[in-house]
Amino acid sequence: MEIIRAKHMGFCFGVAGAIDICQKVINDKNNYNRNIYILGMLVHNEHVVKKLEEQGFKTVKEEEILQGKDNLNKNDIVIIRAHGTSEKIFEILKEKQVEIYDATCVFVTHIRKTLVEMEKKGYDILFIGDKNHPEVKGIISFGKNVTVCNDLEELLKVEIDKNKKYCLLTQTTLNKKKLEKIKSYLENNFQNVKILDKICGATQVRQEAVEELAKKVDMLIVIGGKTSSNTKKLYDISSNFNPNTYLIQDENDLNIEWFRGMNKIGITAGASTPEEIVIKIENQIRGIH
Ligand code: F3S
């Protein structure tokens, strides 16, 4: 039995950067007696979030802030998660005079800025992504006229006016193949849509690596949080090429039955999955055989 890791997997620099900000804030002596909150899940991995809570971080949800049901006070610290948040939340936090540390990944911030600039230039925005994902909700909140579609099927239902100009933007973790289908539909039918591919580099290399690996192993284990968009995409891509693909959060989700007759085991992990979880899983798999 052989365990083969994907060439690119695990923490991306956006997640690593957000965790780094948290550590700097909590280790700063000036903050010892202050309440330190993280907005929602800092990253989409329960193990990471649990560890931060054990260090003393509290969580405040966007809904609580929007409904005035939070316990935030002046001078508390709020760290904005890697996927960012909405314009409204930034406004309320400023009004409350809390100290904001913005751990939004630079890729997400860049899309947000592009959206605002393109609207100023007169473009209507078409956005491809999951409208329920915090990243998408946050980004589009900075726009005025944004149409969000999850995939080509949804986009086909959108009436695109050939006399207007449009800009197409994407969620950072979008599946590259999904975008290619959308691109070819638009390029073949509309000359008035400017396509700006915003899939982040970390997502892209992880998706390519899992595809390559899924084709050459007997089974593939994808490790990551249940709410992690990029983890789900890795699972979908691998499943397309290898029916023996399993998505797990940690070693407790492993099922001994999966491994019967399997020799080459591929492993990948979402961008917010810590290395220590991956190692625990690898050790457990070695124990099975
Ligand atoms: Fe940023 Fe891409 Fe990671 S958007 S948080 S580098 S998955």
Side-chain angles (χ1 to χ4, degrees):
M1 191 264 311
E2 189 186 357
I3 297 176
I4 309 172
R5 283 186 175 213
K7 274 189 199 140
H8 299 277
M9 58 182 259
F11 271 11
C12 61
F13 82 87
V15 167
I19 292 171
D20 198 41
I21 288 177
C22 287
Q23 296 316 317
K24 283 192 180 125
V25 171
I26 203 137
N27 290 329
D28 184 338
K29 281 190 196 125
N30 299 320
N31 298 334
Y32 278 1
N33 292 318
R34 299 172 72 183
N35 288 316
I36 309 176
Y37 290 89
I38 294 173
L39 182 74
M41 285 178 94
L42 181 78
V43 300
H44 282 151
N45 186 284
E46 281 172 21
H47 291 275
V48 173
V49 172
K50 201 168 157 237
K51 246 187 159 182
L52 291 167
E53 282 171 356
E54 281 164 8
Q55 282 184 284
F57 289 96
K58 299 174 182 187
T59 300
V60 59
K61 293 184 182 153
E62 269 155 336
E63 306 85 73
E64 291 170 336
I65 296 175
L66 292 169
Q67 292 164 12
K69 290 181 179 161
D70 60 84
N71 296 316
L72 297 173
N73 290 307
K74 191 176 171 184
N75 292 329
D76 283 349
I77 292 173
V78 177
I79 301 173
I80 308 291
R81 58 162 174 248
H83 286 304
T85 190
S86 68
E87 193 173 28
K88 184 78 193 157
I89 294 284
F90 274 111
E91 277 170 22
I92 299 175
L93 292 178
K94 278 176 198 155
E95 275 166 24
K96 285 183 176 279
Q97 297 181 23
V98 297
E99 190 174 354
I100 301 172
Y101 283 82
D102 191 356
T104 309
C105 174
V106 286
F107 283 121
V108 177
T109 313
H110 176 66
I111 303 174
R112 205 159 76 190
K113 281 188 185 150
T114 310
L115 185 149
V116 173
E117 276 165 23
M118 295 308 276
E119 276 197 341
K120 270 190 197 147
K121 288 181 187 166
Y123 287 85
D124 277 11
I125 307 294
L126 298 170
F127 197 98
I128 308 297
D130 174 358
K131 47 176 87 68
N132 297 315
H133 192 279
E135 175 192 323
V136 177
K137 283 187 187 167
I139 292 172
I140 65 167
S141 73
F142 287 79
K144 294 185 182 72
N145 196 7
V146 183
T147 305
V148 185
C149 299
N150 187 40
D151 50 24
L152 180 57
E153 263 184 20
E154 280 188 28
L155 184 64
L156 289 172
K157 292 180 198 150
V158 176
E159 260 187 53
I160 298 179
D161 182 344
K162 291 202 170 165
N163 299 311
K164 280 185 171 180
K165 45 182 193 172
Y166 295 86
C167 171
L168 182 125
L169 296 169
T170 63
Q171 186 174 355
T172 54
T173 52
L174 193 73
N175 182 323
K176 188 83 185 157
K177 297 248 159 84
K178 202 170 176 176
L179 179 62
E180 272 157 23
K181 279 190 201 161
I182 289 168
K183 261 185 183 171
S184 89
Y185 160 68
L186 290 172
E187 282 164 359
N188 291 327
N189 295 285
F190 301 96
Q191 301 311 308
N192 54 330
V193 183
K194 194 178 175 70
I195 300 171
L196 299 179
D197 174 355
K198 295 293 174 190
I199 300 175
C200 86
T203 297
Q204 199 168 323
V205 293
R206 279 158 181 72
Q207 290 183 358
E208 285 164 6
V210 80
E211 177 175 332
E212 190 190 322
L213 184 59
K215 289 174 185 167
K216 62 181 187 199
V217 291
D218 299 321
M219 68 181 279
L220 197 136
I221 307 271
V222 181
I223 309 163
K226 279 186 195 148
T227 52
S228 161
S229 167
N230 77 83
T231 303
K232 171 80 175 45
K233 305 280 168 34
L234 294 176
Y235 171 78
D236 291 343
I237 292 169
S238 179
S239 304
N240 269 335
F241 296 95
N242 192 324
N244 300 319
T245 297
Y246 301 95
L247 173 56
I248 61 171
Q249 291 208 92
D250 56 33
E251 69 279 11
N252 300 317
D253 295 335
L254 284 172
N255 181 339
I256 202 163
E257 293 299 322
W258 301 339
F259 295 85
R260 282 193 205 287
M262 302 287 164
N263 291 316
K264 282 188 181 171
I265 319 290
I267 287 203
T268 190
S272 43
T273 307
E275 175 65 13
E276 59 192 82
I277 301 284
V278 178
I279 292 174
K280 271 189 193 166
I281 288 168
E282 285 175 333
N283 287 342
Q284 187 120 334
I285 293 173
R286 285 193 189 98
I288 290 171
H289 280 256

